[in-house]
Amino acid sequence: MSCNDSLHFQYVVSKDDFTHAGSASSDVKNKLKKMNVDASAVRKVSIAMYEGEINMIIHAYGGTIDVDIYEDRIVMCLKDTGPGIANIEEAMQEGFSTAPADVINLGFGAGMGLPNMRANSDEFNIESEVGVGTTVTMTIYFT
Amino acid sequence: MKLGDIKDLLHASVLTNCCDLDMDVDSAFCSDMMSNVLAYANDKSILITGLYNAQVLRTADMMGMACVVFIGRRDPDPEIIELANELEICVMLTRSSMFTTCGLLFYNGLNGGVPSELQR
Ligand SMILES: Nc1ncnc2c1ncn2[C@@H]1O[C@H](COP(=O)(O)OP(=O)(O)OP(=O)(O)O)[C@@H](O)[C@H]1O
Ligand SMILES: [Mg+2]
C-alpha cells in the first residue's frame, strides 16, 4: 500500500441494539492494536468512536460509520439518519443532555459524550440538520 | 494492591475465568455513569459499579481497564460474564455496599487515580 492509500471499513449501527452497541468500536480498537498503533492513540480512538456509536443508538435511529485508516491517522465518519440536533452549540456543552430516564438507567446521559469526543480528537467536526440527521467526523493522529 | 488482595478484602467472588490475581493496580474509579468513566477514569484503574450491563464491560474495554467489581445482591446475567471472558476483563462480585467497598479499598491504599491526560 502506498502512503496515500487508506484501509477502509464500514459498520452499520442499528437502532435498538443496545447490547451490541460498541462492537464496531471494539473491532476498530482490535484492528489498530494489531497494526501496532501507539497505545494512547488507540485509547483515544476507542473512547471517541464508542461515545459516538452510543449516541447513534440512544439519540438517533442508527446509521453507518465509515473508518479510514492511513499510515499516520484514522478518520471516523459517523452518520445517522435523524432526528438531528437543533442547537449544536448547546449539545456540545459539558453536562447538556436530553437523555430520558431509561437511557440514564443504562449508564449514559451525563452530557459528557460530545465534549469527550472533541477532547480526544485532533480534528472534530459535527454537522446536523433537524429531520435529516447528524454527521460527526473525527481525525486522530497516531503519534 | 493485587487483584487477589482486592478479592480478599471485599470477600468477592471472581466470575470470569480470566483473572490474573497477581496483577497490580493502584487506583479505582467508581461510577454508575459510563460516560463519566469514559471522560475521567484512568486506564490503570479498576472499575467499581452497581450497574450490570454489557456496556459496562465495553466501557472498561475501551478504557483499557483490567478489572470490574460489581456491587450488589443479585448475580449478573451469564451473557455479561461471557462478554467479559471474551474481552479478557476480570469480573468480581461483592455483596458489600458501594460505600464499604470504596472505603475498604481506599483505606488499604488504592487511590482515585492520577488525572488522566484527557481530563479537562
Ligand atoms: N447523533 C445524535 N443525534 C441526535 N441528537 C444527538 C446526537 N448526539 C448527541 N445528541 C444530542 O446532544 C446531547 C449531548 O450529547 P452527549 O453525547 O454530549 O451527551 P449524552 O449522550 O446525552 O450523555 P453521555 O454522552 O454523557 O452519555 C444529547 O443528549 C442529545 O440531545
Ligand atoms: Mg453521548
Side-chain angles (χ1 to χ4, degrees), chain A residues 48-123:
Chain A
M49 182 170 162
Y50 180 57
E51 289 277 19
E53 191 179 347
I54 295 282
N55 277 356
M56 291 171 75
I57 293 168
I58 63 179
H59 303 301
Y61 315 133
T64 51
I65 304 179
D66 282 283
V67 174
D68 284 283
I69 303 174
Y70 299 84
E71 204 145 295
D72 64 334
R73 68 189 187 283
I74 182 170
V75 181
M76 295 159 274
C77 180
L78 295 78
K79 194 176 167 68
D80 67 52
T81 52
I85 302 172
N87 185 338
I88 290 180
E89 204 183 315
E90 186 180 46
M92 290 301 304
Q93 303 282 322
E94 261 181 32
F96 177 85
S97 177
T98 59
D102 61 326
V103 165
I104 293 171
N105 288 338
L106 293 170
F108 291 89
M112 292 303 298
L114 285 172
N116 200 21
M117 287 156 72
R118 179 164 60 186
N120 280 290
S121 300
D122 294 306
E123 287 159 28

Side-chain angles (χ1 to χ4, degrees), chain B residues 3 14 21 46 63 74 76 110:
Chain B
L3 292 185
V14 172
L21 292 176
I46 61 164
M63 297 299 287
R74 64 193 173 86
L110 278 198

Side-chain angles (χ1 to χ4, degrees), chain B residues 30-113:
Chain B
C30 172
S31 184
D32 290 345
M33 262 306 190
M34 292 307 112
S35 33
N36 283 338
V37 179
L38 289 159
Y40 297 123
N42 181 303
D43 58 343
K44 301 285 188 294
S45 294
I46 61 164
L47 174 60
I48 301 166
T49 185
L51 184 72
Y52 300 2
N53 64 35
Q55 298 314 317
V56 172
L57 279 313
R58 291 274 180 218
T59 298
D61 184 43
M62 298 303 156
M63 297 299 287
M65 298 167 110
C67 175
V68 173
V69 177
F70 283 134
I71 311 278
R73 295 265 147 213
R74 64 193 173 86
D75 293 340
D77 292 342
E79 299 83 69
I80 293 177
I81 302 309
E82 218 170 279
L83 178 63
N85 279 327
E86 197 181 297
L87 298 173
E88 297 180 9
I89 293 170
C90 171
V91 171
M92 294 186 200
L93 176 68
T94 177
R95 305 298 187 200
S96 297
S97 74
M98 185 81 89
F99 180 78
T100 303
T101 297
C102 294
L104 276 172
L105 296 180
F106 190 83
Y107 182 74
N108 284 279
L110 278 198
N111 63 56

